[in-house]
Amino acid sequence: MDSLTQIVLGAAVGEAVLGKKVGNKAMLYGAIAGTIPDLDTFASAFTDTITAIEIHRGFTHSIAFSILFAPVFGWLISKIERKSIATWQNWSWLMFWGFFTHPLLDSHTTWGTQLFWPLETRLAYKNIFVIDPLYTLPFLVFLILAMREKRGTTKRRKFNNLGLIISSIYLLIITPALKLYTYNKFIGALDNQKISYKKIETKPSPLNAILWSANVEVDDAYLIGNYSVFDTQPIDFVSHPKNHNLLGDWSEKRNVKRLIKISEGWYTISEKEGEIYFNDLRFGTLSPVAKTDADFAFSYKLIEENGEIKAIETEKTRGDAKELLSQLGNRILGN
């Protein structure tokens, strides 16, 4: 999830764990704990693109990290807050829950988390977009209300608990229900259109859980379709040829195999001006409307240097952001 959401979650968890003892400092350190796992994003500054992708949401998003580093940060905070009535164990417990709830939330996104690192299993429930105002804003409002109340008061605890409860209902009940509902709509559309497919996966579109996208594998292509709960017209599936043959001998190269593994097999290959591009389909296209010429959210130019394939992430040509948001809003309202 985005940084603001993780800060809000971490602060609310910090308040729930230690707010009665240390007041707003519990929110402060909880917010810090909620951001620390995402420091793995700086890996891109020290290593190649493919390795950075593999590292992201790996060790720092695992149970092992939470257990190993919570006592370390708890000890550091106890030294900073020497006058606090909270003990080293109290601070460690706060940091553990701040660390641990971060990957639990991220596991509901499309990218997922390697929660059980060093096992390679990645949890990705794909029921919430990385930025979802309906999850974050109510949570933030209740957190601010709690922050304004005195430490240890019933009202403060109730506001904080309401934020945790409402956000959890949205995350764990409402969005999974919408995912199941829209999944059945996609399956029904494929059956009605007599499309024979190998596998399908669905995910919410940016900033909401009303408009959903489906990736569908057929023999020589992947189909992408969108469905809003307000739609009245049949679902349109747009075909994107796999073009895996364009890789040629590169398909046996180690780094290409790593990219295929990262994409979980959801990828197409395209060629532009003699250059080969690897497109990760898991995150769909930048356009809120399914179309054949839309740019993919994650695409990598492949180049060969000294017999090794290297990947360079392409710049995202988002165009007019205002126009894209307008298109997204219109599409959410139905076709």
Side-chain angles (χ1 to χ4, degrees), residues 177-245:
L178 288 168
K179 182 178 177 71
L180 178 61
Y181 174 76
T182 55
Y183 175 83
N184 288 330
K185 289 292 185 180
F186 284 118
I187 294 296
L190 290 167
D191 290 342
N192 290 338
Q193 296 177 38
K194 294 180 170 48
I195 297 174
S196 178
Y197 60 94
K198 296 181 178 180
K199 58 182 180 179
I200 177 175
E201 69 170 22
T202 63
K203 58 188 178 298
S205 64
L207 308 175
N208 76 104
I210 302 299
L211 176 64
W212 290 71
S213 176
N215 286 346
V216 182
E217 182 181 7
V218 295
D219 286 336
D220 57 355
Y222 292 103
L223 310 180
I224 295 180
N226 294 324
Y227 175 78
S228 166
V229 297
F230 299 120
D231 277 358
T232 56
Q233 302 300 316
I235 296 173
D236 231 357
F237 292 99
V238 175
S239 178
H240 296 269
K242 291 180 178 178
N243 292 331
H244 292 174
N245 60 295

Side-chain angles (χ1 to χ4, degrees), residues 103-118:
L104 286 182
L105 176 56
D106 277 348
S107 67
H108 290 271
T109 65
T110 300
W111 195 284
T113 58
Q114 205 172 336
L115 191 66
F116 302 110
W117 180 97

Side-chain angles (χ1 to χ4, degrees), residues 110-111 126 199 201-204 213-218 220-226 238-244 259-260 262-270 277-286 294-300:
T110 300
W111 195 284
K126 303 182 175 79
K199 58 182 180 179
E201 69 170 22
T202 63
K203 58 188 178 298
S213 176
N215 286 346
V216 182
E217 182 181 7
V218 295
D220 57 355
Y222 292 103
L223 310 180
I224 295 180
N226 294 324
V238 175
S239 178
H240 296 269
K242 291 180 178 178
N243 292 331
H244 292 174
L259 279 173
I260 293 172
I262 288 168
S263 70
E264 299 173 356
W266 293 99
Y267 72 99
T268 66
I269 304 298
S270 55
Y277 291 83
F278 183 101
N279 309 303
D280 190 332
L281 263 65
R282 290 175 302 155
F283 308 97
T285 63
L286 294 175
D295 292 326
F296 291 99
F298 286 91
S299 184
Y300 306 91

Side-chain angles (χ1 to χ4, degrees), residues 15 20 146 149-158:
E15 170 64 23
K20 187 177 285 189
E149 298 296 327
K150 290 183 179 180
R151 182 181 73 187
T153 61
T154 301
K155 209 170 181 182
R156 180 182 175 105
R157 186 176 69 254
K158 283 184 177 179

Side-chain angles (χ1 to χ4, degrees), residues 238-255:
V238 175
S239 178
H240 296 269
K242 291 180 178 178
N243 292 331
H244 292 174
N245 60 295
L246 292 177
L247 284 172
D249 294 339
W250 283 6
S251 62
E252 297 303 315
K253 295 287 188 178
R254 177 175 173 270
N255 283 347

